[in-house]
């Protein structure tokens, strides 16, 4: 069974540009989560989808971040416009129950 | 909100020595507790989890952790370290199924030959 996949693995952009991250969850997992780790700090929750609906988006930093999960399958996280402080590793996870399975992450560097 | 504390951002042990990575949480309700490991250039891999069954939980690669409610702790141990255990380890807590995870800041484990 394929795990959670994320694309791209790395992204380097300039401040003010737009970046879109993609996450493909494990097939059949209704729950999809986005997390972010800023260098040296803890992994922090961004938001949670149940199927195509946003269940909890309390961790989204501001309105420059937009997450979608059309059709309840893969999800995208768009950052527009990117700022320097958005640099970090963005993780996606999916679950059926209490255990979340994580993807390899997207390393985003904003210059 | 939950708070998860991992004491020691860097831990070094000799090959064959005991590994002890500490995790304390702040929940006032019985939580779900997890340890994940991240090897270089890889994602987070589940090591083990506590979900209100046995308090001593065994995981993959010889790791185990004990849930101690009175100490709000969930420390990770392995009797004998291998070189392949060098990685970053994360403790995570969730209050309910489907809820977000709260993570500690991670502990980087170095194994000295």
């Amino acid at each position: 069974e394929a795990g959670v996949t994320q694309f791209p693995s790395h992204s380097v952009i300039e401040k003010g540009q737009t970046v879109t991250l993609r996450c493909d969850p494990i097939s059949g997992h209704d729950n999809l989560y986005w997390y972010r780790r800023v260098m040296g700090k803890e992994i922090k929750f961004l938001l949670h989808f149940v199927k195509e609906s946003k269940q909890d988006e309390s961790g989204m930093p501001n309105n420059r971040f937009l997450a979608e999960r059309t059709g309840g399958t893969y999800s995208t996280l768009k950052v527009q416009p990117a700022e320097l402080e958005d640099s970090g590793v963005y993780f996606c996870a999916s679950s059926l129950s209490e255990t979340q399975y994580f993807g390899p992450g997207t390393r985003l560097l904003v210059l | 909100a939950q708070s998860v504390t991992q004491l020691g951002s860097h831990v070094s042990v000799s090959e064959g020595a005991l590994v002890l990575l500490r995790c304390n949480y702040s929940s006032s309700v019985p939580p779900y507790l997890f340890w994940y490991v991240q090897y270089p250039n890889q994602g987070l891999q589940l090591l083990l989890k506590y979900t209100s069954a046995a308090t001593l939980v065994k995981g993959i690669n010889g790791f185990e952790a004990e849930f101690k409610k009175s100490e709000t702790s969930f420390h990770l141990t392995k009797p004998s370290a291998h070189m392949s255990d060098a990685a970053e380890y994360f403790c995570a807590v969730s209050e309910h199924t489907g809820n977000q995870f709260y993570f500690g800041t991670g502990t980087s484990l170095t194994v000295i030959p």
Side-chain angles (χ1 to χ4, degrees), chain B residues 39-112:
Chain B
Y39 299 103
N41 301 315
Q42 295 187 30
L44 297 171
Q45 180 181 357
L46 179 68
L47 266 181
L48 49 79
K49 64 180 179 183
Y50 168 78
T51 57
S52 76
T55 56
L56 182 62
V57 180
K58 293 188 184 299
I60 62 171
N61 302 338
F63 284 93
E64 61 182 39
E66 186 172 8
F67 170 62
K68 291 188 176 180
K69 184 179 178 182
S70 61
E71 298 177 7
T72 59
S73 70
F74 190 56
H75 301 331
L76 182 71
T77 60
K78 181 173 180 177
S80 176
H82 293 170
M83 296 299 295
S84 59
D85 294 327
E88 191 161 20
Y89 293 78
F90 295 92
C91 180
V93 174
S94 172
E95 291 177 336
H96 301 287
T97 297
N99 278 26
Q100 63 172 285
F101 278 15
Y102 296 89
F103 282 89
T105 50
T107 298
S108 180
L109 176 67
T110 299
V111 182
I112 303 166

Side-chain angles (χ1 to χ4, degrees), chain A residues 31 33 35 37 40-45 48 56 58 91 95-105 107, chain B residues 32 34 36 38 41-46 49 51 88 90 94 96-106:
Chain A
N31 295 289
Y33 307 81
Y35 292 85
R37 188 184 193 198
K41 305 225 170 162
E42 71 271 29
I43 300 168
K44 280 195 169 179
F45 168 79
H48 170 206
D56 180 0
S58 62
F91 290 102
S95 75
L96 272 178
S97 59
E98 77 281 346
T99 301
Q100 294 182 22
Y101 297 90
F102 285 78
R107 283 155 181 77
Chain B
Y32 296 128
F34 304 83
Y36 286 85
Q38 185 178 27
N41 301 315
Q42 295 187 30
L44 297 171
Q45 180 181 357
L46 179 68
K49 64 180 179 183
T51 57
E88 191 161 20
F90 295 92
S94 172
H96 301 287
T97 297
N99 278 26
Q100 63 172 285
F101 278 15
Y102 296 89
F103 282 89
T105 50

Side-chain angles (χ1 to χ4, degrees), chain A:
Chain A
E1 178 181 314
V4 177
T5 57
Q6 293 186 245
F7 182 82
S9 58
H10 295 78
S11 181
V12 181
I13 61 172
E14 293 190 350
K15 175 182 171 181
Q17 289 186 321
T18 298
V19 63
T20 300
L21 314 181
R22 173 170 170 147
C23 168
D24 286 78
I26 294 172
S27 178
H29 282 194
D30 287 340
N31 295 289
L32 187 150
Y33 307 81
W34 284 98
Y35 292 85
R36 176 174 73 173
R37 188 184 193 198
V38 172
M39 185 163 23
K41 305 225 170 162
E42 71 271 29
I43 300 168
K44 280 195 169 179
F45 168 79
L46 295 177
L47 88 159
H48 170 206
F49 284 99
V50 177
K51 297 184 179 178
E52 67 276 8
S53 298
K54 292 176 185 173
Q55 181 75 16
D56 180 0
E57 50 184 329
S58 62
M60 294 288 264
N62 51 61
N63 59 10
R64 295 186 294 103
F65 289 75
L66 175 64
E68 295 180 325
R69 192 182 182 194
T70 306
T73 54
Y74 71 91
S75 174
T76 58
L77 180 65
K78 182 192 290 188
V79 184
Q80 180 182 31
E83 298 289 345
L84 300 180
E85 64 264 26
D86 300 332
S87 296
V89 181
Y90 290 76
F91 290 102
C92 176
S94 71
S95 75
L96 272 178
S97 59
E98 77 281 346
T99 301
Q100 294 182 22
Y101 297 90
F102 285 78
T106 294
R107 283 155 181 77
L108 175 64
L109 179 59
V110 182
L111 300 176

